[in-house]
């Protein structure tokens, strides 16, 4: 730790000096000033009594106000500011140009160190960042006050975030998008929706439905908020989204452009999911490329990427960790679930059947109700309202909530009148669900560990040299160590070949009957 500076030198005592001098002048004007008063002030400021007399003379010269002249410093001229702007904050390059043009004063010109000190004295860190990297960099140096925390469901914040992970979606690499709503007071994630493409107003409606409903798979957080802060995206500002929120009396606050600090809670959530989840998944798009990666080639092969369903499950697991296991200093080291439970503010609820219009329209033809129910996505869905009413044979249209396929909502195919919900009849048991979750986690860990191991083994380090000599490897091995690593790599190659799909293996093709057989070799004559 650096030593604490003395209390008299680094602080500006001009205002105290001015008050002390003003008191001495009042005593002098009333003929009550003594030399003891001057010495007392001099001892308090650790100066000589003659210095105090000079302060009084300075005040007499400036209409009774102590006005120190201060130390003379080199100041920047408008031409110097223009040079700094042309060179985008490069102080040395601007100094060379000004020196060549003779704009640094009469010979000898000011030194480069003096010019650097003047720039750092007259320009703030934000202004220097604006010259170097633009207005967006300057805004990072702005200071903003914290919002009052309030109570639960007082204000929500919502945003889209693009996942920094490439995912295998129908044999194509793509980055999914996450739309979520977070409570500002308790930091609880009330609802979310994950789309494999650029989100639209349908994603916003699906995420808002998941946030408003609470209980069951919707998590115990939610209700009807008083306010929602959104940015100026077209999907958030659409008429459908605006009308849907205002029906419940929710105030929609549209934030001004380029003001992420006004919804800092959801921005912090976007940064947290990138650092605590996406960085550990295979397909991370910001992973550093190794020297063996070919320029222009993708960093991750298609067979190394996660399937979309696996990615969705990992995100849902992370949301459960955030809400129930993750402690926050702002919440007095409580989890969002604990902060939500400790808040006794009443929650405005709504009937789930009244939110069926928030679900997504199934992009397909009408479905027929059979004796087993409605078949969709290789499963049958059955509702209690189907029994005893002869519903078999009717045509219905299906809507479902994003990423939740165990419950759907059915409408009459002709009148679009709401018929009721339907549930998957062959839902897997909790034990099977746990086994599937463990298998997905093993798959993600397996590919992530394999990718890290391959990149670590591919790195080659060389010794530093100060002479013209061939590069010398640092990680050289003995013959026995090299043979052991070769056996390990061959074992991994055999394991990788066992993972290959049979339909991608190279198989020998049968000889074609259209080929011309080779001519027989001529017999040698004796």
């Amino acid at each position: 730790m650096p030593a604490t500076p003395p209390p008299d030198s680094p602080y500006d005592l001009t205002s105290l000096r001015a008050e002390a001098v003003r008191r001495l002048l009042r005593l002098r004007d009333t003929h009550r000033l003594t030399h003891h008063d001057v010495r007392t002030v001099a001892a308090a400021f650790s100066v000589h009594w003659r210095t105090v007399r000079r302060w009084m003379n300075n005040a007499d010269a400036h209409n009774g106000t102590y006005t120190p002249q201060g130390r003379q410093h080199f100041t920047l001229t408008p031409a110097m500011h223009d040079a700094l702007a042309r060179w985008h904050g490069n102080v040395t390059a601007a100094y060379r140009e000004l020196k060549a043009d003779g704009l640094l004063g009469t010979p000898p010109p000011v030194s480069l160190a003096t010019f650097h000190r003047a720039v750092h004295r007259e320009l703030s860190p934000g202004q220097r960042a604006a010259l170097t990297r633009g207005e967006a960099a300057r805004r990072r140096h702005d200071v903003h006050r914290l919002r009052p925390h309030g109570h639960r469901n007082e204000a929500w914040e919502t945003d889209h975030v693009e996942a920094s992970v490439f995912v295998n979606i129908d044999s194509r690499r793509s980055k999914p998008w996450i739309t979520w709503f977070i409570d500002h007071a308790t930091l609880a994630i009330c609802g979310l929706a994950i789309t494999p493409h650029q989100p639209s107003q349908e994603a916003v409606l699906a995420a808002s439905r998941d946030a408003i409903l609470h209980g069951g798979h919707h998590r115990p957080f939610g209700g009807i908020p008083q306010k929602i802060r959104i940015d100026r995206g077209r999907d958030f500002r659409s008429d459908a989204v605006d009308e849907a929120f205002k029906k419940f009396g929710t105030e929609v606050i549209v934030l001004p452009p380029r003001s992420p600090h006004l919804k800092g809670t959801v921005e912090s959530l976007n940064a947290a999911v990138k650092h605590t989840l996406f960085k550990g998944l295979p397909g991370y798009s910001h992973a550093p490329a190794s020297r063996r990666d070919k320029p222009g080639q993708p960093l991750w092969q298609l067979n190394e990427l996660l399937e979309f369903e696996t990615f969705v499950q990992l995100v849902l697991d992370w949301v459960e960790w955030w809400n129930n296991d993750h402690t926050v200093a702002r919440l007095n080291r409580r989890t969002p679930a604990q902060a939500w439970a400790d808040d006794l503010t009443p929650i405005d609820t709504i009937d789930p059947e009244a939110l069926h219009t928030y679900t997504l329209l199934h992009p397909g033809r009408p479905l027929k109700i059979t004796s087993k129910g409605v078949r969709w996505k290789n499963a049958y869905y059955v509702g209690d309202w189907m029994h005893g009413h002869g519903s078999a044979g009717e045509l219905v249209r299906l809507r479902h909530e994003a990423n939740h396929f165990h419950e759907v909502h059915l409408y009459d195919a002709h009148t679009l009148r709401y018929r009721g919900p339907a549930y998957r009849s062959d839902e897997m048991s909790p034990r099977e669900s746990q086994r599937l979750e463990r298998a997905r986690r093993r798959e993600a860990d397996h590919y992530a560990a394999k990718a890290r191991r391959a990149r670590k083994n591919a790195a080659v380090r060389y010794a530093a040299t100060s002479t013209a000599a061939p590069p010398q490897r640092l990680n050289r091995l003995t013959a026995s160590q090299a043979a052991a690593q070769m056996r390990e790599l061959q074992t991994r190659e055999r394991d990788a070949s066992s993972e290959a799909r049979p339909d991608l293996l190279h198989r020998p093709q049968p000889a074609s009957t259209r080929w011309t057989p080779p001519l027989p070799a001529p017999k040698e004559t004796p």
Side-chain angles (χ1 to χ4, degrees):
M1 294 292 293
T4 303
D8 53 347
S9 59
Y11 302 112
D12 186 10
L13 303 178
T14 304
S15 60
L16 291 178
R17 292 175 184 175
E19 292 296 330
V21 170
R22 187 177 293 109
R23 178 181 179 277
L24 293 177
L25 293 180
R26 284 197 301 267
L27 292 176
R28 188 190 64 181
D29 294 341
T30 57
H31 306 287
R32 292 184 295 133
L33 179 65
T34 63
H35 187 64
H36 177 72
D37 297 331
V38 177
R39 284 183 173 274
T40 301
V41 173
F45 286 97
S46 301
V47 295
H48 197 269
W49 63 269
R50 290 190 178 91
T51 303
V52 178
R53 289 289 183 179
R54 286 193 294 270
W55 293 352
M56 297 175 64
N57 295 335
N58 178 277
D60 290 335
H62 294 88
N63 299 323
T65 302
Y66 171 67
T67 308
Q69 300 300 319
R71 182 179 177 182
Q72 297 294 330
H73 293 287
F74 169 74
T75 58
L76 300 179
T77 62
M80 297 175 185
H81 283 282
D82 294 341
L84 288 172
R86 282 195 301 272
W87 285 98
H88 301 287
N90 190 333
V91 181
T92 304
Y95 175 83
R96 287 197 301 263
E97 178 184 312
L98 294 170
K99 185 178 180 180
D101 295 340
L103 299 177
L104 289 174
T106 57
V110 298
S111 64
L112 178 60
T114 301
F115 189 70
H116 266 279
R117 285 194 297 269
V119 171
H120 283 262
R121 183 173 56 252
E122 298 186 23
L123 299 180
S124 65
Q127 293 171 334
R128 296 196 299 269
L131 291 175
T132 306
R133 296 182 297 276
E135 175 64 18
R138 187 203 64 79
R139 288 197 297 268
R140 298 192 185 100
H141 293 267
D142 289 341
V143 179
H144 312 287
R145 68 178 183 88
L146 295 177
R147 292 182 182 273
H149 295 170
H151 55 81
R152 63 183 180 184
N153 285 346
E154 180 182 2
W156 287 1
E157 296 180 6
T158 179
D159 196 12
H160 300 306
V161 60
E162 183 185 29
S164 306
V165 176
F166 286 105
V167 176
N168 186 355
I169 301 176
D170 293 337
S171 301
R172 292 183 298 105
R173 64 181 74 247
S174 181
K175 293 182 182 179
W177 285 76
I178 305 175
T179 305
W180 40 30
F181 288 81
I182 184 172
D183 181 60
H184 172 71
T186 63
L187 303 183
I189 300 176
C190 300
L192 76 157
I194 306 174
T195 53
H197 49 72
Q198 188 81 16
S200 61
Q201 64 177 2
E202 295 179 347
V204 180
L205 292 176
S208 63
R209 172 192 170 88
D210 189 31
I212 292 175
L213 296 178
H214 66 284
H217 72 277
H218 292 287
R219 293 169 289 276
F221 321 106
I224 299 178
Q226 298 178 8
K227 305 175 184 177
I228 290 182
R229 303 188 186 104
I230 63 175
D231 55 21
R232 304 182 71 87
R234 291 185 301 175
D235 42 5
F236 287 110
R237 297 187 61 190
S238 63
D239 295 336
V241 176
D242 186 69
E243 181 183 359
F245 285 121
K246 289 183 177 179
K247 287 180 178 178
F248 306 123
T250 300
E251 180 184 0
V252 180
I253 302 175
V254 182
L255 302 176
R258 295 182 296 274
S259 57
H261 61 280
L262 296 180
K263 53 182 181 70
T265 305
V266 71
E267 295 291 345
S268 301
L269 179 64
N270 295 340
V273 71
K274 291 179 180 179
H275 289 288
T276 60
L277 177 64
F278 295 157
K279 282 188 175 181
L281 296 181
Y284 181 59
S285 58
H286 300 301
S290 64
R291 62 183 63 190
R292 298 190 64 179
D293 294 329
K294 297 180 180 180
Q297 296 294 328
L299 191 61
W300 300 88
Q301 300 299 325
L302 190 61
N303 59 352
E304 295 178 339
L305 304 180
L306 296 173
E307 298 292 337
F308 180 70
E309 293 81 2
T310 305
F311 172 79
V312 171
Q313 186 60 43
L314 293 177
V315 172
L316 296 178
D317 294 342
W318 184 87
V319 170
E320 293 299 320
W321 167 83
W322 173 276
N323 286 335
N324 300 291
D325 301 327
H326 162 247
T327 59
V328 185
R330 199 192 88 177
L331 303 177
N332 298 324
R333 289 301 173 188
R334 294 178 299 172
T335 64
Q338 292 172 345
W340 182 277
D342 294 341
D343 193 338
L344 302 180
T345 305
I347 300 176
D348 295 334
T349 60
I350 193 171
D351 188 2
E353 294 186 359
L355 284 180
H356 56 81
T357 54
Y358 272 55
T359 54
L360 298 179
L361 179 63
H362 174 55
R365 297 178 300 176
L367 305 176
K368 180 181 292 188
I369 300 179
T370 64
S371 58
K372 298 180 181 179
V374 177
R375 182 174 176 82
W376 182 62
K377 283 189 174 294
N378 298 325
Y380 285 98
Y381 292 84
V382 180
D384 296 338
W385 55 272
M386 297 180 184
H387 301 290
H389 296 282
S391 301
E394 293 184 8
L395 294 179
V396 293
R397 292 188 179 273
L398 182 144
R399 291 172 179 251
H400 73 97
E401 185 179 352
N403 308 319
H404 299 287
F405 303 112
H406 68 283
E407 178 185 0
V408 297
H409 297 268
L410 301 178
Y411 298 77
D412 188 271
H414 304 288
T415 63
L416 297 182
R417 184 174 57 87
Y418 182 59
R419 299 300 305 275
Y423 303 91
R424 185 182 295 178
S425 59
D426 54 347
E427 191 72 32
M428 59 182 173
S429 62
R431 184 175 182 180
E432 293 173 343
S433 176
Q434 294 178 0
R435 292 178 55 187
L436 180 60
E437 181 180 351
R438 287 195 296 267
R440 286 171 173 169
R441 173 58 66 178
R442 284 197 303 269
E443 180 186 11
D445 295 344
H446 168 68
Y447 285 114
K450 183 173 68 172
R452 288 194 298 266
R453 184 170 58 246
R455 296 183 184 282
K456 180 180 178 180
N457 294 337
V460 180
R461 299 182 61 86
Y462 296 92
T465 179
S466 57
T467 59
Q472 300 293 328
R473 288 176 177 262
L474 288 178
N475 51 351
R476 288 179 293 182
L477 305 176
T478 63
S480 59
Q481 292 174 340
Q485 284 200 6
M486 284 297 297
R487 288 193 298 269
E488 182 181 358
L489 292 175
Q490 290 174 358
T491 304
R492 293 177 187 170
E493 290 178 358
R494 288 194 298 269
D495 296 341
S497 63
S498 64
E499 296 178 1
R501 290 168 49 187
D503 55 341
L504 297 182
L505 297 178
H506 295 284
R507 300 179 178 178
Q509 300 293 334
S512 176
T513 56
R514 295 179 296 176
W515 290 354
T516 303
L519 297 175
K523 296 181 180 180
E524 297 181 359
T525 56

